[in-house]
Amino acid sequence: MPDTDVGGGDVDINTDEQRFTELYHRHHTAVANYVRRRTASDDVTDVVSEVFLTAWRRLDEIPPAKALPWLYGVARRTLANAHRSQRRRGTLTEMLAAQPRHLVDDEADSVIVDLSLARAFDALSDADQEVLRLAVWEELPARQAAAVLGCTAAAFHVRLHRARTRLRNHLSPAQQAPQTSLGRADA
């Protein structure tokens, strides 16, 4: 079915697809062997795909009698680009390796601690949970938290201490969070 491109000329998509399919079937093995002899086997599929993508984009520029040499030329340039990219990656890797190392916490460990802490928190009574929420989540000073609970600041300190202790008891020693993260109770 003819289609009209932006310039107003007729373009027969089926004919282009047929030409490309024929080109691909005729030369794919030769191009793949060419690439395979010049690069690591892991990169062959990517490079060959790039060669035929270029061929599709520039189908009208491919000389019919010299299609294979034209494809080899595209493969050579594609390989050169791939090799330059690998060299740049290698240089970047070396530069990064030479940089001072900063230890970064493993996110998986953090998630495990968070889940353990959440399970331990859920195991607490509602009263202990509320004391910890007021101290940690709401960051209320002891006097204000005591007012919320309807007790004295001293009673709030005792309740907070007991809630922290019960929370720690629900955690294994390796999973226990530092005391400071369990809420402060300043007056």
Side-chain angles (χ1 to χ4, degrees):
M1 173 181 290
D3 191 11
T4 305
D5 67 3
V6 178
D10 288 335
V11 176
D12 191 346
I13 293 175
N14 290 333
T15 303
D16 286 348
E17 287 179 16
Q18 290 169 349
R19 280 181 49 213
F20 178 77
T21 302
E22 183 180 312
L23 177 80
Y24 181 85
H25 287 297
R26 183 180 305 140
H27 300 298
H28 178 270
T29 302
V31 171
N33 289 336
Y34 177 92
V35 171
R36 191 173 292 110
R37 287 187 289 268
R38 289 163 175 78
T39 191
S41 61
D42 295 346
D43 299 330
V44 172
T45 303
D46 291 338
V47 172
V48 171
S49 296
E50 187 67 30
V51 168
F52 281 100
L53 178 62
T54 302
W56 172 252
R57 289 180 182 156
R58 301 176 64 191
L59 193 58
D60 291 336
E61 297 175 29
I62 301 173
K66 298 179 182 179
L68 186 57
W70 189 90
L71 290 168
Y72 282 165
V74 172
R76 185 179 57 77
R77 289 184 291 281
T78 303
L79 283 166
N81 289 338
H83 290 298
R84 276 192 297 276
S85 294
Q86 287 172 345
R87 278 195 306 273
R88 282 192 298 265
R89 275 192 300 274
T91 302
L92 180 60
T93 301
E94 290 172 9
M95 285 174 36
L96 290 174
Q99 295 294 317
R101 296 185 184 215
H102 302 285
L103 296 178
V104 178
D105 292 335
D106 185 0
E107 290 294 322
D109 291 341
S110 175
V111 169
I112 290 170
V113 169
D114 290 348
L115 289 173
S116 298
L117 188 58
R119 273 191 236 109
F121 185 82
D122 288 342
L124 296 174
S125 69
D126 290 339
D128 285 345
Q129 287 180 9
E130 185 60 18
V131 167
L132 289 171
R133 283 186 191 116
L134 291 172
V136 178
W137 290 354
E138 306 305 330
E139 297 179 346
L140 291 178
R143 287 189 195 144
Q144 291 178 4
V148 170
L149 296 177
C151 64
T152 65
F156 176 77
H157 280 288
V158 170
R159 290 180 187 183
L160 180 60
H161 172 74
R162 290 178 180 164
R164 287 177 177 160
T165 301
R166 285 189 273 269
L167 181 64
R168 278 191 209 97
N169 289 339
H170 287 292
L171 294 170
S172 70
Q175 298 168 334
Q176 291 186 0
Q179 276 189 330
T180 56
S181 70
L182 297 178
R184 63 184 213 293
D186 52 347

mmCIF file of all heavy atoms in Angstrom, residues 12 23 51 65 72 79 99 101 103 106 130 134:
data_model
loop_
_atom_site.group_PDB
_atom_site.id
_atom_site.type_symbol
_atom_site.label_atom_id
_atom_site.label_comp_id
_atom_site.label_asym_id
_atom_site.label_seq_id
_atom_site.Cartn_x
_atom_site.Cartn_y
_atom_site.Cartn_z
ATOM 1 N N ASP A 12 6.847 3.230 -0.869
ATOM 2 C CA ASP A 12 6.221 1.923 -0.727
ATOM 3 C C ASP A 12 6.905 1.191 0.426
ATOM 4 O O ASP A 12 8.014 0.678 0.294
ATOM 5 C CB ASP A 12 6.347 1.135 -2.032
ATOM 6 C CG ASP A 12 5.484 -0.115 -2.021
ATOM 7 O OD1 ASP A 12 5.019 -0.502 -0.924
ATOM 8 O OD2 ASP A 12 5.284 -0.686 -3.095
ATOM 9 N N LEU A 23 18.033 -8.273 2.404
ATOM 10 C CA LEU A 23 19.387 -7.863 2.782
ATOM 11 C C LEU A 23 19.811 -8.555 4.076
ATOM 12 O O LEU A 23 20.915 -9.092 4.184
ATOM 13 C CB LEU A 23 19.434 -6.341 2.958
ATOM 14 C CG LEU A 23 20.746 -5.747 3.428
ATOM 15 C CD1 LEU A 23 21.706 -5.630 2.251
ATOM 16 C CD2 LEU A 23 20.506 -4.378 4.057
ATOM 17 N N VAL A 51 24.268 -2.544 13.438
ATOM 18 C CA VAL A 51 24.599 -2.488 12.008
ATOM 19 C C VAL A 51 23.324 -2.541 11.179
ATOM 20 O O VAL A 51 23.115 -1.727 10.269
ATOM 21 C CB VAL A 51 25.555 -3.638 11.619
ATOM 22 C CG1 VAL A 51 25.677 -3.763 10.099
ATOM 23 C CG2 VAL A 51 26.924 -3.425 12.245
ATOM 24 N N ALA A 65 24.797 -3.454 -5.529
ATOM 25 C CA ALA A 65 25.839 -4.402 -5.929
ATOM 26 C C ALA A 65 26.928 -4.529 -4.876
ATOM 27 O O ALA A 65 27.745 -5.452 -4.934
ATOM 28 C CB ALA A 65 26.455 -3.961 -7.259
ATOM 29 N N TYR A 72 29.879 -4.101 6.046
ATOM 30 C CA TYR A 72 31.154 -4.261 6.749
ATOM 31 C C TYR A 72 31.680 -2.896 7.218
ATOM 32 O O TYR A 72 32.220 -2.773 8.317
ATOM 33 C CB TYR A 72 32.196 -4.926 5.855
ATOM 34 C CG TYR A 72 32.058 -6.428 5.701
ATOM 35 C CD1 TYR A 72 32.736 -7.084 4.681
ATOM 36 C CD2 TYR A 72 31.281 -7.192 6.551
ATOM 37 C CE1 TYR A 72 32.640 -8.457 4.511
ATOM 38 C CE2 TYR A 72 31.164 -8.570 6.391
ATOM 39 C CZ TYR A 72 31.847 -9.191 5.371
ATOM 40 O OH TYR A 72 31.748 -10.549 5.215
ATOM 41 N N LEU A 79 31.901 -1.040 15.582
ATOM 42 C CA LEU A 79 32.889 -1.658 16.479
ATOM 43 C C LEU A 79 33.832 -0.604 17.060
ATOM 44 O O LEU A 79 34.170 -0.648 18.251
ATOM 45 C CB LEU A 79 33.694 -2.726 15.738
ATOM 46 C CG LEU A 79 32.980 -4.047 15.504
ATOM 47 C CD1 LEU A 79 33.730 -4.883 14.475
ATOM 48 C CD2 LEU A 79 32.832 -4.806 16.813
ATOM 49 N N GLN A 99 39.658 6.863 43.554
ATOM 50 C CA GLN A 99 39.049 7.815 44.482
ATOM 51 C C GLN A 99 39.045 7.233 45.888
ATOM 52 O O GLN A 99 38.951 6.024 46.081
ATOM 53 C CB GLN A 99 37.605 8.120 44.067
ATOM 54 C CG GLN A 99 37.472 8.832 42.753
ATOM 55 C CD GLN A 99 38.066 10.228 42.812
ATOM 56 O OE1 GLN A 99 37.869 10.949 43.777
ATOM 57 N NE2 GLN A 99 38.809 10.583 41.778
ATOM 58 N N ARG A 101 37.701 5.875 49.206
ATOM 59 C CA ARG A 101 36.467 5.107 49.413
ATOM 60 C C ARG A 101 35.713 5.615 50.621
ATOM 61 O O ARG A 101 36.288 5.870 51.658
ATOM 62 C CB ARG A 101 36.791 3.634 49.586
ATOM 63 C CG ARG A 101 37.401 3.095 48.335
ATOM 64 C CD ARG A 101 37.620 1.644 48.420
ATOM 65 N NE ARG A 101 38.312 1.283 47.185
ATOM 66 C CZ ARG A 101 38.136 0.171 46.560
ATOM 67 N NH1 ARG A 101 37.325 -0.709 47.034
ATOM 68 N NH2 ARG A 101 38.791 -0.084 45.460
ATOM 69 N N LEU A 103 32.624 4.515 53.008
ATOM 70 C CA LEU A 103 31.766 3.386 53.326
ATOM 71 C C LEU A 103 30.315 3.832 53.301
ATOM 72 O O LEU A 103 29.957 4.870 53.860
ATOM 73 C CB LEU A 103 32.119 2.816 54.698
ATOM 74 C CG LEU A 103 33.519 2.222 54.795
ATOM 75 C CD1 LEU A 103 33.775 1.723 56.213
ATOM 76 C CD2 LEU A 103 33.695 1.090 53.801
ATOM 77 N N ASP A 106 24.787 -0.588 53.797
ATOM 78 C CA ASP A 106 24.062 -1.468 52.898
ATOM 79 C C ASP A 106 22.574 -1.276 53.141
ATOM 80 O O ASP A 106 22.092 -1.441 54.256
ATOM 81 C CB ASP A 106 24.475 -2.918 53.153
ATOM 82 C CG ASP A 106 23.847 -3.890 52.183
ATOM 83 O OD1 ASP A 106 23.081 -3.444 51.305
ATOM 84 O OD2 ASP A 106 24.119 -5.096 52.296
ATOM 85 N N GLU A 130 2.210 4.387 72.166
ATOM 86 C CA GLU A 130 1.864 5.813 72.192
ATOM 87 C C GLU A 130 2.978 6.639 72.833
ATOM 88 O O GLU A 130 3.321 7.715 72.351
ATOM 89 C CB GLU A 130 0.540 6.044 72.940
ATOM 90 C CG GLU A 130 0.060 7.474 72.903
ATOM 91 C CD GLU A 130 -0.198 8.026 71.494
ATOM 92 O OE1 GLU A 130 -0.337 7.242 70.529
ATOM 93 O OE2 GLU A 130 -0.253 9.257 71.352
ATOM 94 N N LEU A 134 4.944 9.573 70.726
ATOM 95 C CA LEU A 134 5.025 10.967 71.168
ATOM 96 C C LEU A 134 6.482 11.425 71.252
ATOM 97 O O LEU A 134 6.810 12.553 70.890
ATOM 98 C CB LEU A 134 4.343 11.138 72.529
ATOM 99 C CG LEU A 134 2.816 10.991 72.519
ATOM 100 C CD1 LEU A 134 2.272 10.973 73.944
ATOM 101 C CD2 LEU A 134 2.174 12.096 71.698
#
